[in-house]
Amino acid sequence: METLNIVSELSTVDAKIDSGAQLLGLESRYKIIRLLAKGGMAYVFLAKDLKCQRYVALKMMHPKKGIAELDKQRFIEEVQITSQLDHPSIISIYDLCQGKNGEPFYAMKLVRGETLEEILKQVAANNEKYISQYPLRVLLQIFIKICDAITYAASKYIVHRDLKPDNIMIGQYGEVYVMDWGIAKVCTPWETKQLLRKQSIYDFEDSFVRTLREMSDTQSEATAYGQFLGTPMYMAPEQICADFEIDTRADIYALGVILYRIVYLSNPFSQSAIKNIFKEKLKGDLDFSKKTIFNSGCKRSSEILNSVIRKAMAVNLSERYQKTSDLKVDVDSWLHGYATVAEDASQIRLIKLLLSRHKNISLVLSLFFISLGSFCYQGYLNVNDIVIDKDFLELELNHKSMESKKRLIAKLKLEQELNEYRRHISGIKEQLATYNIDEANIKKVIELSEQLVILDPSSKNYQNLISLYITNKNYEKANDSLVYALASYPQDSELANLINNIK
């Protein structure tokens, strides 16, 4: 169903409204006001319910002669299916009627908003208003609501078969509606169990190739009817296999394509011809290397979302998500910093995610272990000093013995190394003084400052190094160095003030 372009269609709008009004008849409770949208099989009008005094959307088949009986049955079945799906993200049906010539039409809730397709196109066109209103986080929350609706439909053994952004309406107040259930399929519970036993579509490859010829004149983003049902860009590969009965996993594939559109604002297939698109679908090779994730402020790895998309769009049915709720959980997990099923996270990955979700706890734990390490090291130094003093006393008392001479030599070497160590620190400080802190020298200055902190971990040297990190916008290293510095100098206010400069 495409949104009406008022300017280009102005000359025919009145005629369509007149035809719709004639179809309703004079005694109808609905008064048509204007045309909202049109599709291949039906029009949608804004109308007023004269009995209830409310505005509704009125969908009716094209008022033309010779409408096929199958099309009428499919139209009526759409109403019956949709009206029995009682879910906040599935549009409410108010009434099913017949026009004066027997043509069916129905009234449904009027949604004031726009389609997800329109939103994605505006975001892709860098429309600042849409980018600020629909960052990736919000778009993924919309996607989760779509998954909720499809999960509910699957619980009623309904397969939508035509999921795409054009059939998702976003209301003015954030409502999400899955629309257009015109080619939905009703599966019996027994049939669904039988379908789930089929694990691969490769047994039907001959059927697949034969039906491709039927698709040559069909647009990749338009709903098609006939031997195959759905929109080629979003159809699962098994949907065009004549000998293969689809199940709810076909909707999961379409959701994977929608997720790809949301994340990358582009189509997952490079080809435009329908036959070539389905050849790409059968290969199942999705290339993410040249794609850029929609920048929205979500500081999460896009590689994990790629794993989710791959699993949703898997050609082999056994590798695809088996339930829409599983796909929803993975997307929600990614949003909130949890591991997804698709990524098969290791224990180290799980620990990292735990710490990233609880940054305050991880900082406290880091400071605790750093403090504990510093305490143990200081204790070791104190014990070592006592041992050195005792050895030196023995050396003085037994200086004539060979052992005493060896220890005396060792002490002299130690003093020599200490002097060399101090000269090395002085040399680094003198070298630092010769550099101007600018773009050309910043990396060399940071390298020397890092060496200086290792040799002389004083509060002042830490401050200088952290400031250099901040100047170079390396906030992660600045944060790590600040944690270590505060562990050694917790009362230093100048160090603490540097926290405000780390973004």
Side-chain angles (χ1 to χ4, degrees), residues 82 118 452:
T82 310
E118 292 169 340
L452 185 59

Side-chain angles (χ1 to χ4, degrees), residues 25-170:
L26 298 176
E27 298 180 358
S28 173
R29 64 184 283 186
Y30 301 103
K31 179 183 178 181
I32 291 180
I33 298 174
R34 63 184 175 89
L35 184 63
L36 293 177
K38 65 174 184 176
M41 296 296 295
Y43 292 135
V44 177
F45 293 96
L46 169 65
K48 187 172 183 179
D49 184 341
L50 299 177
K51 286 187 178 180
C52 296
Q53 290 298 303
R54 64 180 173 185
Y55 290 98
V56 299
L58 214 61
K59 184 173 182 179
M60 61 178 63
M61 299 191 72
H62 287 175
K64 60 184 179 182
K65 296 181 179 180
I67 298 176
E69 189 61 31
L70 178 62
D71 291 332
K72 285 186 179 181
Q73 292 175 5
R74 185 172 288 139
F75 188 87
I76 293 172
E77 189 174 47
E78 174 186 358
V79 184
Q80 293 172 338
I81 289 174
T82 310
S83 62
Q84 293 178 66
L85 295 177
D86 185 15
H87 189 274
S89 291
I90 298 177
I91 205 74
S92 298
I93 302 294
Y94 295 145
D95 197 7
L96 173 62
C97 308
Q98 271 190 334
K100 64 178 183 179
N101 297 324
E103 296 90 344
F105 67 91
Y106 65 90
M108 58 184 168
K109 180 178 180 179
L110 176 65
V111 180
R112 301 183 186 275
E114 51 196 334
T115 66
L116 179 59
E117 179 68 29
E118 292 169 340
I119 291 171
L120 292 177
K121 285 181 178 179
Q122 291 295 331
V123 173
N126 292 319
N127 186 317
E128 291 297 333
K129 176 185 174 183
Y130 281 82
I131 290 174
S132 61
Q133 187 176 355
Y134 296 103
L136 180 59
R137 174 180 53 80
V138 172
L139 290 175
L140 290 179
Q141 288 169 345
I142 290 172
F143 181 81
I144 287 171
K145 290 183 180 179
I146 300 169
C147 289
D148 284 335
I150 300 305
T151 300
Y152 172 79
S155 73
K156 301 292 184 182
Y157 308 105
I158 301 295
V159 186
H160 188 285
R161 292 203 288 191
D162 197 20
L163 285 175
K164 56 183 178 180
D166 265 324
N167 286 339
I168 309 298
M169 284 291 296
I170 313 300

Side-chain angles (χ1 to χ4, degrees), residues 134 254 257 358 371 401 500:
Y134 296 103
V257 182
H358 304 283
S371 300
S401 66
N500 300 324

Side-chain angles (χ1 to χ4, degrees), residues 125-400:
N126 292 319
N127 186 317
E128 291 297 333
K129 176 185 174 183
Y130 281 82
I131 290 174
S132 61
Q133 187 176 355
Y134 296 103
L136 180 59
R137 174 180 53 80
V138 172
L139 290 175
L140 290 179
Q141 288 169 345
I142 290 172
F143 181 81
I144 287 171
K145 290 183 180 179
I146 300 169
C147 289
D148 284 335
I150 300 305
T151 300
Y152 172 79
S155 73
K156 301 292 184 182
Y157 308 105
I158 301 295
V159 186
H160 188 285
R161 292 203 288 191
D162 197 20
L163 285 175
K164 56 183 178 180
D166 265 324
N167 286 339
I168 309 298
M169 284 291 296
I170 313 300
Q172 292 177 328
Y173 303 101
E175 316 98 297
V176 178
Y177 296 100
V178 179
M179 311 288 288
D180 203 347
W181 296 77
I183 60 172
K185 176 185 177 182
V186 183
C187 303
T188 65
W190 180 87
E191 182 184 10
T192 301
K193 290 178 182 178
Q194 293 299 312
L195 292 174
L196 290 175
R197 293 178 182 174
K198 295 181 178 180
Q199 300 299 314
S200 175
I201 68 166
Y202 295 116
D203 294 339
F204 305 101
E205 217 166 307
D206 291 338
S207 174
F208 175 84
V209 174
R210 186 175 66 251
T211 57
L212 280 175
R213 293 194 299 272
E214 307 294 333
M215 307 173 67
S216 58
D217 297 327
T218 306
Q219 295 181 3
S220 63
E221 295 183 359
T223 303
Y225 298 89
Q227 188 171 354
F228 68 96
L229 297 170
T231 303
M233 181 66 70
Y234 299 89
M235 287 167 62
E238 65 267 21
Q239 277 185 263
I240 60 165
C241 296
D243 302 322
F244 193 86
E245 292 294 336
I246 67 165
D247 57 53
T248 55
R249 290 173 293 183
D251 282 349
I252 292 174
Y253 185 94
L255 287 169
V257 182
I258 294 173
L259 182 58
Y260 189 102
R261 287 283 316 278
I262 289 173
V263 174
Y264 293 105
L265 300 177
S266 61
N267 293 324
F269 307 109
S270 58
Q271 301 295 325
S272 57
I274 304 302
K275 185 174 181 178
N276 294 332
I277 286 177
F278 271 88
K279 285 182 178 179
E280 281 194 72
K281 285 176 183 278
L282 266 186
K283 289 180 181 177
D285 296 329
L286 297 174
D287 182 16
F288 298 96
S289 59
K290 298 180 181 179
K291 299 290 185 177
T292 303
I293 189 170
F294 169 35
N295 184 15
S296 63
C298 281
K299 298 179 180 178
R300 307 256 187 272
S301 171
S302 61
E303 187 58 37
I304 306 305
L305 270 184
N306 294 347
S307 300
V308 175
I309 294 170
R310 284 191 185 96
K311 188 172 179 64
M313 295 179 64
V315 178
N316 193 325
L317 293 176
S318 64
E319 296 175 3
R320 201 179 297 172
Y321 288 101
Q322 301 301 295
K323 297 179 181 178
T324 314
S325 56
D326 296 337
L327 171 58
K328 171 208 167 176
V329 168
D330 263 6
V331 173
D332 191 58
S333 296
W334 184 85
L335 262 178
H336 294 92
Y338 289 87
T340 63
V341 173
E343 67 183 289
D344 192 19
S346 64
Q347 289 297 322
I348 294 176
R349 166 77 176 156
L350 293 174
I351 292 171
K352 286 182 178 179
L353 288 171
L354 175 65
L355 293 177
S356 67
R357 292 195 303 271
H358 304 283
K359 293 183 179 179
N360 292 334
I361 294 177
S362 61
L363 179 59
V364 170
L365 287 174
S366 300
L367 290 173
F368 171 75
F369 285 115
I370 291 169
S371 300
L372 181 61
S374 299
F375 176 77
C376 294
Y377 182 67
Q378 190 63 43
Y380 166 77
L381 291 178
N382 291 337
V383 172
N384 199 44
D385 287 342
I386 293 172
V387 173
I388 291 174
D389 290 342
K390 182 180 179 181
D391 289 346
F392 179 72
L393 181 60
E394 291 178 357
L395 179 64
E396 292 296 327
L397 294 174
N398 304 293
H399 62 88
K400 291 183 180 181

